[in-house]
Amino acid sequence: MVSLIFVSHSNEFAEATSKYIKEITKSKTFIAFCGGIGNDKKEFGTDPIDILNTIEEVYNDDGVIIFCDMGSALISSELSISMLDEYKQPNVKITSAPFIEGGVIAAIQSSLNKKINDIIFEALGSLSGKKSYTEYEKDLQNNNEKNEDYNNLLKDYKKNEYKITLANGFHARPVFKLISIASNSKSSVYIANKTKNKGPIQADNITKITLLNIEYNDVMEVYAKGPDSEEVFHKIKELVNQEFISDNEIYDSNKFNSEFQVICEGNNDNIKGIGKYINLNFYVEKEIIYNIEFEKERLKRAIEKVEKDILEQKAIMQKNLKSDEYLIFETHLSILLDESLLEEVNNSIENNKYSAPYAYYIEMNKYFKSFDELEDGYIKERKYDIKDILQQVLKYLLNKNIRLPKENNIILIVDEMYASIVPKISKNIKCIISKEGSPLSHASILLKSINIPYIIYKDALKLDNKKLTVDTKSFNISYN
């Protein structure tokens, strides 16, 4: 059973903390404390020899976790570990987890005979419950820092405002075109959602711009500084007044009944085939690692491979489509190569010792939740792009593969459909039925564009391995 030590500059505080945790958890874990300096330990400070003796008292081969209250306690603890016998040193770990909340979680996990790395992992997340009640603190901090920084940064920029008249707001394609305008100019460009008080952010990241949640009738602020700033303003004015007809058609052409949604009818009234379920999602287990550089390199190689795949997907759809729906894959590239996202993943690998698959999964889920919390339906459904990219990267990180069925007359059954799968669909697949999805997802848009019958049906998985007849016009699925 892993032992716990609480090191504080105050002996009284360390003792009170250990007693509190023992009492509240009723744990049989070995819990020790040390702190203070001087003969009576009344002075504030930490003593490496005192910590060393405490480690020796509670040491066992399952390990020892040291919780520290402040910076110098960490230094003293680190020195104490260096004085241990070499075979003991790897089994004694200092954690940055919260002193009290982390200690409570660690005591519980230790009493369940969890391994030391698993205990540290759980302890590091011990503030999540408290944070859920204090999200405003993060907003206050971020807004104060952001406003001060950007007020200084943008004071010499020209600014124009645009009222958004696009029916579906500033979604993927107009966002991509905005980024294209900014990147092809000689000016520095920032944008903000004045209506919702979000931003400003630099106009170079499709995910962050989309999360500004610029909807119909919102006022978008554009800041530009450079020799062609007026040209930038002119092009953006043309962009916000442009019609994206296919987006409106998405809303109008879907048919619903209580059982399922018909996203695309196709050309055939009666589609016959064998239902075949394919799992497009990969499961990721929590894994603590020690070779940080190896994991970072794994991630880098996976990103490079997915980038190549997305370019191939784009080329296939660009060849098969007359419209500009292939630009959807530019959205995917922007998400995949998002420098801030990749930095967060690498930080998670380095600081939390997460494996590359688990770190990527955790960070992408944060983005997924950010989109899922948005009110605007069209922008909200960009969460499927996040999940799509996640699964593509996991495919390489986990050394997995997805093989679509090759038999004739297949009706493909999936949990949810991804845009990246659409270019792989061959003529043997007559229809696609997904358990979950949205008529506003990019997979839906692409399937409509190439006229492949697509249905969202909550009981889709029941259709696996059955002979099916699908009538998209009369909302009927029969099987035997």
Side-chain angles (χ1 to χ4, degrees):
M1 189 178 294
V2 175
S3 302
L4 309 180
I5 299 175
F6 293 87
V7 178
S8 171
H9 287 65
S10 165
N11 185 264
E12 290 182 354
F13 180 59
E15 182 179 14
T17 299
S18 63
K19 285 182 178 179
Y20 171 76
I21 290 173
K22 286 179 182 178
E23 180 64 28
I24 198 172
T25 64
K26 306 298 182 185
S27 173
K28 296 180 180 179
T29 300
F30 293 108
I31 299 177
F33 67 92
C34 56
I37 56 176
N39 293 333
D40 56 2
K41 298 188 182 297
K42 294 291 186 181
E43 297 178 47
F44 289 133
T46 55
D47 182 353
I49 301 301
D50 187 22
I51 298 171
L52 174 64
N53 292 334
T54 306
I55 294 173
E56 295 285 12
E57 288 175 10
V58 299
Y59 179 85
N60 67 81
D61 289 339
D62 288 337
V64 179
I65 300 174
I66 301 176
F67 290 81
C68 301
D69 66 344
M70 293 175 67
S72 59
L74 291 161
I75 297 171
S76 296
S77 298
E78 193 172 40
L79 180 59
S80 302
I81 294 172
S82 70
M83 291 187 284
L84 285 169
D85 293 336
E86 285 190 10
Y87 78 92
K88 292 182 178 180
Q89 291 180 17
N91 297 329
V92 182
K93 299 182 183 297
I94 303 170
T95 180
S96 62
F99 204 66
I100 296 177
E101 291 92 339
V104 170
I105 295 296
I108 294 171
Q109 295 297 311
S110 176
S111 66
L112 296 173
N113 288 316
K114 295 293 183 70
K115 293 182 179 180
I116 188 168
N117 286 335
D118 292 333
I119 295 172
I120 292 173
F121 171 80
E122 296 294 341
L124 287 168
S126 60
L127 285 182
S128 58
K130 185 183 287 185
K131 285 181 178 179
S132 68
Y133 287 94
T134 57
E135 282 297 313
Y136 71 92
E137 292 179 338
K138 185 192 299 182
D139 293 338
L140 286 173
Q141 181 179 357
N142 290 343
N143 287 338
N144 287 337
E145 292 175 354
K146 178 184 68 177
N147 290 339
E148 183 177 348
D149 291 343
Y150 279 114
N151 284 339
N152 292 329
L153 175 66
L154 302 176
K155 63 182 180 181
D156 296 327
Y157 280 62
K158 296 178 181 178
K159 183 179 82 168
N160 273 3
E161 295 183 356
Y162 306 89
K163 189 170 184 178
I164 302 303
T165 58
L166 298 171
N168 296 318
F170 231 62
H171 53 81
R173 274 171 289 165
V175 167
F176 173 72
K177 291 187 176 183
L178 172 65
I179 292 174
S180 180
I181 291 170
S183 62
N184 290 322
S185 76
K186 298 177 182 178
S187 297
S188 174
V189 182
Y190 285 76
I191 70 167
N193 186 335
K194 182 179 180 180
T195 304
K196 295 186 174 71
N197 193 28
K198 292 186 176 184
I201 60 168
Q202 195 161 9
D204 63 354
N205 184 297
I206 195 166
T207 304
K208 290 181 179 179
I209 294 175
T210 305
L211 287 173
L212 291 177
N213 196 18
I214 302 174
E215 299 177 273
Y216 177 74
N217 271 341
D218 281 356
V219 175
M220 179 176 73
E221 296 175 322
V222 178
Y223 301 82
K225 179 182 178 181
D228 58 352
S229 57
E230 292 301 328
E231 184 180 353
V232 168
F233 290 136
H234 175 71
K235 288 181 178 179
I236 292 176
K237 182 179 180 180
E238 289 183 338
L239 174 63
V240 298
N241 291 322
Q242 186 176 344
E243 289 289 338
F244 289 84
I245 299 173
S246 59
D247 294 339
N248 294 325
E249 291 175 349
I250 294 167
Y251 285 100
D252 297 338
S253 62
N254 293 291
K255 297 184 178 180
F256 304 82
N257 74 0
S258 59
E259 291 296 320
F260 54 77
Q261 294 174 258
V262 176
I263 307 304
C264 180
E265 295 180 357
N267 296 323
N268 193 348
D269 289 352
N270 287 296
I271 305 162
K272 296 184 178 182
I274 300 294
K276 183 67 175 177
Y277 171 74
I278 299 293
N279 185 3
L280 302 179
N281 297 315
F282 300 111
Y283 175 73
V284 183
E285 291 185 348
K286 179 182 69 179
E287 183 182 3
I288 304 297
I289 52 87
Y290 298 97
N291 193 334
I292 292 172
E293 294 307 316
F294 175 76
E295 295 300 313
K296 288 183 177 181
E297 184 62 27
R298 281 179 71 195
L299 176 66
K300 180 183 176 183
R301 290 199 302 267
I303 296 297
E304 289 172 350
K305 290 177 181 178
V306 175
E307 181 181 10
K308 181 180 177 182
D309 288 349
I310 293 174
L311 290 172
E312 290 177 357
Q313 294 159 14
K314 176 188 172 184
I316 292 171
M317 298 311 295
Q318 188 172 2
K319 182 179 179 181
N320 294 333
L321 295 174
K322 295 180 180 179
S323 57
D324 63 355
E325 272 83 5
Y326 67 88
L327 290 177
I328 285 168
F329 295 100
E330 293 289 348
T331 305
H332 284 196
L333 280 175
S334 180
I335 296 170
L336 176 73
L337 303 176
D338 185 334
E339 291 182 1
S340 60
L341 169 63
L342 293 176
E343 183 180 358
E344 289 169 5
V345 177
N346 279 310
N347 286 341
S348 186
I349 293 172
E350 186 168 343
N351 298 330
N352 299 325
K353 306 297 188 293
Y354 292 160
S355 66
Y358 191 68
Y360 195 75
Y361 169 79
I362 291 294
E363 296 305 324
M364 287 294 275
N365 263 323
K366 292 178 183 177
Y367 273 79
F368 182 89
K369 290 176 182 177
S370 296
F371 278 97
D372 200 34
E373 291 169 358
L374 297 177
E375 295 180 2
D376 180 80
Y378 192 93
I379 298 176
K380 181 175 183 176
E381 300 316 320
R382 300 290 68 76
K383 65 185 181 182
Y384 290 107
D385 293 323
I386 302 295
K387 203 165 185 181
D388 192 345
I389 299 300
L390 170 62
Q391 299 306 321
Q392 292 186 71
V393 173
L394 289 179
K395 179 181 74 172
Y396 287 109
L397 287 175
L398 300 173
N399 197 25
K400 302 285 187 179
N401 207 349
I402 293 173
R403 292 183 175 85
L404 297 181
K406 300 296 184 182
E407 302 92 333
N408 291 328
N409 299 320
I410 292 294
I411 295 177
L412 186 65
I413 312 296
V414 294
D415 294 286
E416 50 205 344
M417 188 62 185
Y418 297 131
S420 63
I421 300 297
V422 177
K424 301 177 182 178
I425 295 173
S426 54
K427 292 182 179 180
N428 69 311
I429 295 177
K430 304 301 180 183
C431 176
I432 297 170
I433 305 176
S434 67
K435 178 184 176 183
E436 299 176 5
S438 166
L440 305 178
S441 72
H442 280 154
S444 294
I445 294 171
L446 289 174
L447 290 170
K448 283 172 63 66
S449 298
I450 57 179
N451 203 29
I452 292 181
Y454 176 39
I455 294 169
I456 299 172
Y457 176 45
K458 63 183 179 65
D459 293 324
L461 303 192
K462 294 180 180 179
L463 306 177
D464 185 30
N465 287 323
K466 291 184 170 60
K467 292 182 179 180
L468 304 175
T469 300
V470 179
D471 188 338
T472 57
K473 293 180 173 59
S474 62
F475 304 102
N476 184 55
I477 300 176
S478 58
Y479 58 85
N480 53 44

